[in-house]
Amino acid sequence: MKPAIDVVNVSKVYRRYARRRQFATLKSALLDGSLLGDLKPDETFQALKNVSFSVAKGCTYGVIGSNGSGKSTLLKCVAGITRPTEGNVTVDGRISALIELGAGFHPEISGRENIFINGIMLGLTKKEVQRRFDEIVEFAEMQDFIDAPVKTYSSGMYMRLGFAVAIHVDPEVLLVDEVLAVGDKGFTHKCLDKFSEFRRRNKSILLVTHSLDLVEKFCDEAHWLDKGVTKGEGDPKRVVAAYIINVEDTEENSLAKAESERVAASAVRDPEEAPLNPVADAGSVKDGFKSTEGRWGTREIEIAQVSIGGPDGESGHVFQSGDDIQVHMVVTARESITDFVFGLGLFNADGVCVYGTNTNLEEFQPTEITGEGTVTFEIDSLDLVEGTYRLDLAAHKADGYPYDYHRLLYTFRIKSRVRDVGIYRPAHRWTFGGGITFKGRLERPQAASRKPIMTLSLRAAQVLVQQARGAGQVVVFTNGVFDVLHPGHVRYLRDARALGDLLIVGVNSDRSVRALGKSPDRPINPEGERAEVLTALASVDAVVVFDEDTPHAIVSALLPDILVKGADWGADAIVGRDVVEARGGKVVQIELAQGYSTTAIVERIRM
């Protein structure tokens, strides 16, 4: 069947308008040089680069990406508002586009007149507009204002009227940019209901949005753009998960750079300017991002290095709500000191002290510090709502005399798919009785599901494990070559999956297989194909390809609750057993299916 939208290798290049290259008129542009072809690379901006996708009839297709990624440019190319510099766009059927608020509305005339003008522009006859007029006005909730000039409308009224006209043209293809964000909740639900109706009627929708929940709930497929380049396409949950991981990595790099600059630029102040200690002075911080950050103290004890670690033990700046967090300090003392206190203060972006403590308050009795040492402050479950937070860290005497005070130098971000408010997220539950009933909770994306997720990087798998733990799920891990997937493997993986809620499979890379000395012509299939076949199994939630000769590094990084191996392995030979059991996990050995041997199958294939 012919697709509703077919985008093939579309690129769009804009010129950067520098004053020295501006043309006064079209004539001067034609006489003095071409509009685009003669421009230097630094005088152009490529909004899209070789973007291709197809939208089947009746499909709701979501496009996501950060600001400036090319989403709106892509939509304008599909709508015919602008032409691609290279490539082709084909649309089968009548298009209705809602790309900008009030696009095509004349501000000086009434909403009534604009409905007729827009309807005719979108391909309806005057009689067809008249027949649908009352329905459009009712949907837009504009009965009291339809005869007022459009210039008197609020942005929400613009959006409602524009959306109502666009969908009542009864298009085969509806193009929608990020316009629902300005609507109230009631109208947004009406729009989403209309989307569902369009899908039932086999209409096609191309939706550009920053609402990831909307993409996961309503879209059949998703497309991720980043700086004009396709970064992912396919199942919405997979694409959204990959996008979130990328956003977190970007935030991680940004926060790390900013923190490095703050620490490097922190001024050494006179000790007398310092607060007595990070707990007693916590109330003086009025705004965590306007308060003066800095560093001061005598440095008799120096906080030489600070890092914040997550559940994987690696330092970072972006964590999930409920993660285990550790604040690590490397401290040095110039000489032996017996009077010392270590303190920590945690602030949100508004300057509210979330928590503060020190070793003196908690009645640790100091004995001596000499040379280099380490201090680690651990929180088993940092149940904060989504937001940005800052740390005060200090080493001082019991009377507050500062050795080394770090004020608001260290920033980290908490992420959460739950949009609650405040600061703290206590563990909780709802119960109802009597005449109170609910249909149930709205379905939210889960950290793990019984459907395969995807082939992941190790970092992405760590995030997945963190999310699963936050949801109280049990993580199972196993590993192998899997170069010939046979019924014995299928049974083994099914039994492994039954032990928990999330099964991650580690697959040896092609290099790793050859290093293990299996044989010169193994693996039979390349690592990418082996991973793809495994993710097709209902029992497998995610696959990670690892390049090491043993899975010890990946087991140490993921820290599964259950490590699974075949019963033919000796207990002492199971790599990673020590890591799992050290944190209270289990190692389970599963009996192999009789009659299935990968080596025998490989030899039979060769014959």
Side-chain angles (χ1 to χ4, degrees):
M1 180 185 293
K2 186 177 180 180
I5 302 172
D6 194 24
V7 176
V8 181
N9 296 326
V10 165
S11 296
K12 181 63 180 179
V13 180
Y14 292 103
R15 61 169 301 199
R16 299 181 190 272
Y17 284 90
R19 181 171 296 278
R20 60 189 176 84
R21 289 300 301 268
Q22 286 181 350
F23 299 117
T25 65
L26 177 60
K27 180 180 178 180
S28 65
L30 296 173
L31 291 176
D32 296 342
S34 72
L35 294 174
L36 190 62
D38 294 339
L39 295 178
K40 298 175 183 178
D42 63 349
E43 296 176 319
T44 63
F45 170 72
Q46 189 151 21
L48 296 172
K49 185 176 181 180
N50 297 327
V51 176
S52 298
F53 64 88
S54 292
V55 180
K57 291 186 186 298
C59 175
T60 301
Y61 195 92
V63 181
I64 61 174
S66 58
N67 290 331
S69 61
K71 305 185 301 297
S72 295
T73 299
L74 175 63
L75 210 61
K76 290 175 181 178
C77 288
V78 175
I81 295 172
T82 186
R83 293 175 61 85
T85 307
E86 295 178 356
N88 297 294
V89 177
T90 305
V91 180
D92 184 25
R94 176 191 285 172
I95 292 181
S96 183
L98 189 58
I99 295 179
E100 295 178 3
L101 287 177
F105 283 180
H106 195 294
E108 298 296 334
I109 62 178
S110 69
R112 180 185 300 274
E113 293 165 311
N114 271 294
I115 288 176
F116 278 91
I117 292 172
N118 270 260
I120 292 169
M121 288 173 60
L122 291 171
L124 297 181
T125 65
K126 185 176 180 180
K127 287 185 177 180
E128 287 175 322
V129 177
Q130 183 67 55
R131 189 167 60 248
R132 303 176 191 185
F133 180 83
D134 290 341
E135 190 176 352
I136 292 172
V137 174
E138 182 180 355
F139 187 92
E141 302 170 7
M142 297 286 292
Q143 294 92 332
D144 296 335
F145 307 97
I146 198 62
D147 290 311
V150 166
K151 67 181 181 182
T152 65
Y153 290 0
S154 67
S155 60
M157 294 163 73
Y158 259 97
M159 185 275 295
R160 297 203 305 268
L161 190 59
F163 190 88
V165 173
I167 61 173
H168 284 87
V169 169
D170 197 25
E172 280 77 39
V173 179
L174 178 64
L175 310 179
V176 184
D177 203 345
E178 186 73 79
V179 294
L180 298 182
V182 299
D184 57 44
K185 286 290 184 182
F187 187 76
T188 299
H189 287 310
K190 285 175 63 173
C191 295
L192 297 179
D193 290 343
K194 203 67 178 179
F195 284 167
S196 298
E197 179 190 328
F198 267 47
R199 296 175 68 186
R200 291 193 299 271
R201 295 169 57 198
N202 206 38
K203 307 287 186 177
S204 305
I205 301 172
L206 181 60
L207 173 68
V208 166
T209 181
H210 287 289
S211 175
L212 304 182
D213 289 340
L214 183 63
V215 171
E216 289 182 322
K217 185 174 182 180
F218 281 94
C219 293
D220 302 299
E221 291 188 78
H223 195 108
W224 168 24
L225 284 178
D226 182 44
K227 297 179 181 178
V229 178
T230 298
K231 298 285 285 186
E233 182 185 12
D235 177 73
K237 282 186 170 56
R238 296 186 180 190
V239 175
V240 167
Y243 173 67
I244 290 174
I245 291 166
N246 179 264
V247 169
E248 291 182 357
D249 287 342
T250 301
E251 291 179 340
E252 173 72 38
N253 295 334
S254 175
L255 290 171
K257 180 181 178 181
E259 179 181 292
S260 177
E261 292 173 350
R262 280 197 305 274
V263 172
S266 59
V268 178
R269 300 185 179 182
D270 190 305
E272 294 182 0
E273 297 181 26
L276 290 179
N277 59 61
V279 178
D281 188 63
S284 67
V285 182
K286 301 301 181 185
D287 186 316
F289 289 90
K290 292 181 180 178
S291 299
T292 302
E293 66 259 345
R295 180 179 181 184
W296 55 85
T298 63
R299 305 289 180 90
E300 293 167 75
I301 297 176
E302 181 177 359
I303 301 174
Q305 184 179 335
V306 176
S307 63
I308 308 172
D312 55 7
E314 295 186 8
S315 62
H317 297 80
V318 180
F319 308 101
Q320 297 293 319
S321 179
D323 276 354
D324 299 343
I325 302 293
Q326 311 92 38
V327 179
H328 302 284
M329 292 185 281
V330 177
V331 298
T332 58
R334 298 175 184 174
E335 57 188 31
S336 176
I337 296 175
T338 58
D339 182 0
F340 57 92
V341 175
F342 296 108
L344 174 146
L346 173 61
F347 299 85
N348 72 352
D350 296 324
V352 176
C353 183
V354 177
Y355 181 69
T357 190
N358 63 41
T359 54
N360 186 46
L361 290 174
E362 299 194 27
E363 300 181 351
F364 286 90
Q365 301 297 313
T367 303
E368 181 186 27
I369 177 173
T370 180
E372 183 176 292
T374 61
V375 179
T376 302
F377 182 82
E378 298 185 58
I379 303 175
D380 289 338
S381 180
L382 190 61
D383 294 313
L384 299 176
V385 303
E386 183 167 272
T388 305
Y389 298 85
R390 281 191 170 188
L391 285 175
D392 271 12
L393 298 172
H396 56 87
K397 289 185 177 181
D399 64 4
Y401 175 85
Y403 294 129
D404 197 1
Y405 195 109
H406 293 218
R407 154 69 42 106
L408 303 175
L409 295 181
Y410 307 99
T411 303
F412 64 93
R413 192 160 292 156
I414 294 294
K415 309 290 286 186
S416 175
R417 299 297 292 275
V418 180
R419 302 304 180 200
D420 39 16
V421 297
I423 297 175
Y424 172 54
R425 283 206 79 234
H428 63 277
R429 61 182 177 272
W430 295 88
T431 57
F432 307 97
I436 302 174
T437 60
F438 286 86
K439 291 181 180 178
R441 301 181 67 181
L442 292 175
E443 181 182 352
R444 289 192 176 273
Q446 298 298 312
S449 91
R450 290 195 173 270
K451 294 177 63 178
I453 296 173
M454 64 173 102
T455 303
L456 299 176
S457 66
L458 181 56
R459 167 63 179 154
Q462 288 175 318
V463 173
L464 180 64
V465 170
Q466 293 169 19
Q467 293 174 335
R469 291 234 167 83
Q473 296 176 322
V474 175
V475 178
V476 183
F477 176 82
T478 190
N479 68 278
V481 174
F482 298 105
D483 55 345
V484 179
L485 197 63
H486 53 69
H489 284 142
V490 175
R491 296 179 190 176
Y492 171 83
L493 294 171
R494 182 191 60 206
D495 292 345
R497 181 61 169 78
L499 297 171
D501 304 296
L502 176 75
L503 173 61
I504 300 178
V505 178
V507 175
N508 292 83
S509 69
D510 295 345
R511 188 215 63 79
S512 176
V513 176
R514 290 190 291 272
L516 292 173
K518 292 287 186 179
S519 67
D521 54 353
R522 288 183 70 179
I524 301 298
N525 298 312
E527 60 193 54
E529 291 183 10
R530 289 183 280 134
E532 186 175 356
V533 170
L534 283 167
T535 58
L537 297 177
S539 57
V540 177
D541 295 295
V543 174
V544 180
V545 178
F546 63 92
D547 197 46
E548 294 79 13
D549 295 342
T550 78
H552 197 277
I554 187 173
V555 173
S556 299
L558 297 180
L559 297 175
D561 301 299
I562 300 175
L563 174 64
V564 175
K565 289 298 289 184
D568 57 334
W569 281 77
D572 294 336
I574 298 176
V575 177
R577 183 184 195 111
D578 55 334
V579 175
V580 174
E581 291 183 338
R583 65 179 305 274
K586 295 192 300 183
V587 176
V588 176
Q589 292 183 269
I590 295 177
E591 290 293 333
L592 301 181
Q594 294 297 318
Y596 291 103
S597 163
T598 303
T599 302
I601 292 174
V602 170
E603 291 178 356
R604 189 165 66 245
I605 292 172
R606 288 173 180 157
M607 295 174 58

